[in-house]
Amino acid sequence: MSRPVVHGAGDLSGLTVLAQGPHSLGPDGSPLTETLRVPSERLLPGPVGARLRVVVLDAHGRVDAQLLGDGDWGAIDKAPPSDPDLLVGDGRFLAQQAYAVAAHTQARFEKALGRRISWAGGGRLTLYANDKIDYANTGYNRSDCSIRFGKIKDPRFSARLPLALYRDLVAHEVTHAVLDGYRPRWADSLAGADSLAMHEALADLVAVLGVFGTVPVVQEIIGTEMAARGGTLETLGSDLLASGLFRFADRLFSHGRSAREPLAGTLPENWRTEIEPHRRAAGVVNAILTTVLRLWRQELGRPGRRASVYQVAAAGSRIGERVLNMLLRGIAYMAPVDVGFEDLLRGILAADGAVVPQDEHNYRGVLRTCFAEVGIVTATDDSLSGISGLKELNYPIRISSLSSDPDEVLRFIWDNPVLMEAAKLDSGAEMSIDRVRPSVRISPEGFAVSEMGASFAQTLHLAPGEARKLGLHTRSSVVLRGGGLLRFDEGGKLCFAALKPVLDVKRQQTLLDGAEDARTAARNVATSLFHPDLADPVTS
């Protein structure tokens, strides 16, 4: 009798998924696919893993548990049916698609951040791959940590089409779930309009840029667009490069319309004052995607870089992946509350500077320029750390405990009055230490960058008289909130701080003045396409 094979951390399973969706076809007329390498784990029928559960319904609406691994380590790959009608009804492939994209999206965050990511509540995320709901109600539900994917009537198929067959739509919703577990205050009942828009921007960018993960897919899309437009490698420009790649839910609707095309048309001048979160996020999405295109075109301007469609695709894939990793690393350098677009830019630049100090290909320079073009600017490189004003800090801490013990972080903050003042904390009020986690990120050169991150928050409930005494203009009771993100190097020294001062009257007045816009934005999220319950209140 043979001995069982021993498996361990780092094992990966290759699973085939639709590269964009059921309407994006390869050269043979069958759906364009790619293989995602996802962490291997023991899978029960469902499939059910340690942190993910997929529910598939049969034609009668009953749960139809699918076998991806039958209790064994890793999943068994299955190619999708080439017949469109068989594809819509294939529960086994639908389960594989939903599971693989969700696992890959979570793993992408974990690789970029250098640590495990938990869902809100700490349990499993459940994906209902073909729920009976209408397609417009597809979305992440905070209350039970689930994503429900509806189905849409499509004359191109004999049965209603499950939206989980769209890779980018699954990635978008899973990103909302990741962010909700990582930074729950970014979209809770006290979140501002910019913070809600940030959620949408990050989810859209993870979804759209995910297509760059596989060179053959990028190659096929570019080749198809060139053939349709009569383009050549010599005339290849930004419009053609972006045309087939930067679409969300490609050809979901009739006449080949996509759900969103972020670079289509002109960016509205007033995008920053838009109430609807997707439109308010347009500037950030535009800046990141323009960064990819500009770097890509610069690369193609080098001698020999346009020798073949494959070379063009390989360059784009490398750049798209690098920019996406910069974006994901940046969220670890942002405060746990009240984040804005300048905070995102600063976070990306600071995080990338820690991992890639030299920036040989000027990624950060191009990123700064593209953000500045939409009106978003931040501190100079020598001021990104946010600690220049924090002189002569005390370190009454044990380094061995700093990476895991909230009380050690609390003591560090308390024993440094200069930090308390910078964060404008109320010394008499309680302060919560949310997360204390180590992270290890690998630079493109293969070097490990080890840091420890800790986030804290403080919430104050003030009566009208107390608020006015502080200097706030209000006739109602108010809730003030602030906090910060601290990062320590491997020697235990503070190397980065992103602070949102609690008793900063000007900052809090701005938030109070924008409270009605935030409430309207939350209602818009709740009623918008694909987001039924993102903005439900949660405990702050």
Side-chain angles (χ1 to χ4, degrees):
M1 181 177 180
S2 62
R3 298 177 62 184
V5 178
V6 177
H7 299 280
D11 287 358
L12 299 173
S13 297
L15 294 177
T16 301
V17 301
L18 301 188
Q20 288 187 302
H23 298 302
S24 299
L25 306 179
D28 61 352
S30 60
L32 184 63
T33 63
E34 66 176 307
T35 300
L36 298 181
R37 304 281 289 172
V38 303
S40 295
E41 63 173 334
R42 189 171 67 90
L43 288 174
L44 299 180
V48 177
R51 296 185 292 172
L52 290 169
R53 174 178 178 239
V54 177
V55 176
V56 174
L57 303 180
D58 64 17
H60 303 288
R62 297 186 294 258
V63 174
D64 185 16
Q66 301 296 319
L67 251 59
L68 265 65
D70 195 21
D72 293 329
W73 184 273
I76 300 171
D77 189 32
K78 175 185 177 180
S82 57
D83 185 310
D85 290 334
L86 293 178
L87 174 64
V88 171
D90 191 329
R92 170 60 172 73
F93 181 76
L94 181 64
Q96 177 174 301
Q97 168 94 5
Y99 173 82
V101 177
H104 187 263
T105 303
Q106 186 182 34
R108 180 183 286 276
F109 273 89
E110 293 181 338
K111 181 179 180 181
L113 297 176
R115 45 157 293 191
R116 292 290 190 194
I117 298 293
S118 300
W119 310 114
R124 288 189 180 98
L125 174 69
T126 300
L127 295 91
Y128 295 89
N130 57 346
D131 204 75
K132 292 182 286 186
I133 61 173
D134 184 70
Y135 80 94
N137 293 325
T138 290
Y140 167 64
N141 299 280
R142 167 178 290 125
S143 58
D144 62 353
C145 193
S146 71
I147 302 173
R148 296 180 182 274
F149 295 96
K151 295 183 288 188
I152 187 172
K153 290 182 179 179
D154 190 324
R156 294 163 289 188
F157 294 90
S158 60
R160 290 202 301 164
L161 179 67
L163 293 194
L165 288 174
Y166 285 87
R167 180 203 58 79
D168 48 7
L169 212 163
V170 177
H172 178 101
E173 298 302 336
V174 172
T175 297
H176 278 307
V178 169
L179 294 175
D180 195 38
Y182 186 70
R183 290 286 185 245
R185 294 183 182 87
W186 285 5
D188 69 2
S189 60
L190 296 178
D194 279 357
S195 188
L196 293 172
M198 186 74 67
H199 237 274
E200 296 303 330
L202 292 170
D204 272 0
L205 288 166
V206 171
V208 172
L209 291 178
V211 74
F212 285 95
T214 307
V215 174
V217 171
V218 179
Q219 179 183 8
E220 181 60 35
I221 294 173
I222 293 175
T224 299
E225 293 292 332
M226 287 177 59
R229 298 181 177 212
T232 65
L233 288 169
E234 290 73 24
T235 61
L236 201 60
S238 295
D239 57 341
L240 199 151
L241 289 173
S243 58
L245 292 165
F246 293 167
R247 293 172 181 161
F248 180 72
D250 189 31
R251 300 180 179 90
L252 172 63
F253 301 113
S254 59
H255 306 294
R257 291 185 301 116
S258 303
R260 283 192 289 280
E261 294 190 34
L263 290 185
T266 303
L267 180 69
E269 291 184 3
N270 64 339
W271 66 270
R272 293 205 69 155
T273 60
E274 289 279 2
I275 303 301
E276 200 283 321
H278 292 100
R279 291 196 291 269
R280 197 182 187 102
V284 171
V285 174
N286 181 287
I288 292 288
L289 298 184
T290 301
T291 298
V292 174
L293 284 177
R294 197 161 296 176
L295 288 166
W296 198 356
R297 289 202 65 186
Q298 287 181 10
E299 179 67 15
L300 296 182
R302 299 172 184 270
R305 294 300 195 270
R306 294 172 181 256
S308 66
V309 176
Y310 179 84
Q311 281 195 342
V312 172
S317 179
R318 182 175 64 255
I319 291 167
E321 283 282 281
R322 167 76 190 278
V323 172
L324 179 54
N325 281 330
M326 290 173 66
L327 174 71
L328 298 185
R329 286 197 299 261
I331 70 173
Y333 283 65
M334 296 169 67
V337 297
D338 303 335
V339 289
F341 306 125
E342 286 76 14
D343 298 317
L344 176 63
L345 175 58
R346 180 190 170 211
I348 295 172
L349 294 171
D352 194 64
V355 178
V356 192
Q358 301 304 317
D359 194 22
E360 178 182 354
H361 299 290
N362 197 34
Y363 276 68
R364 294 195 290 276
V366 173
L367 183 81
R368 273 189 182 275
T369 299
C370 293
F371 268 80
E373 288 172 356
V374 299
I376 302 173
V377 295
T378 191
T380 58
D381 288 350
D382 57 358
S383 302
L384 288 173
S385 69
I387 62 173
S388 58
L390 304 177
K391 305 294 186 181
E392 299 180 358
L393 293 173
N394 300 308
Y395 287 89
I397 53 177
R398 297 179 178 86
I399 295 179
S400 60
S401 301
L402 185 60
S403 63
S404 59
D405 189 349
D407 287 338
E408 207 71 22
V409 176
L410 178 61
R411 185 179 178 190
F412 173 79
I413 297 172
W414 180 261
D415 285 346
N416 280 288
V418 65
L419 179 55
M420 295 277 290
E421 173 58 27
K424 295 192 179 301
L425 296 167
D426 185 337
S427 299
E430 294 297 321
M431 175 175 43
S432 63
I433 308 298
D434 290 344
R435 294 181 180 276
V436 183
R437 295 284 181 86
S439 67
V440 179
R441 291 160 296 154
I442 307 299
S443 73
E445 292 76 23
F447 295 104
V449 179
S450 299
E451 291 182 347
M452 293 163 278
S455 57
F456 63 94
Q458 187 177 71
T459 303
L460 306 178
H461 298 264
L462 301 184
E466 294 174 308
R468 289 193 294 270
K469 185 177 180 180
L470 186 64
L472 295 170
H473 303 292
T474 181
R475 295 182 179 180
S476 306
S477 299
V478 298
V479 178
L480 306 185
R481 187 168 69 173
L485 180 282
L486 305 176
R487 295 194 71 87
F488 301 85
D489 62 25
E490 56 188 347
K493 299 298 183 181
L494 184 68
C495 61
F496 181 86
L499 304 178
K500 296 293 179 179
V502 180
L503 296 174
D504 182 328
V505 175
K506 182 179 179 180
R507 191 181 81 84
Q508 296 293 355
Q509 188 67 59
T510 300
L511 291 172
L512 290 175
D513 293 343
E516 184 55 40
D517 283 352
R519 285 190 287 270
T520 303
R523 289 193 293 270
N524 283 339
V525 170
T527 58
S528 66
L529 188 66
F530 306 144
H531 299 294
D533 294 311
L534 176 61
D536 279 357
V538 298
T539 302
S540 62

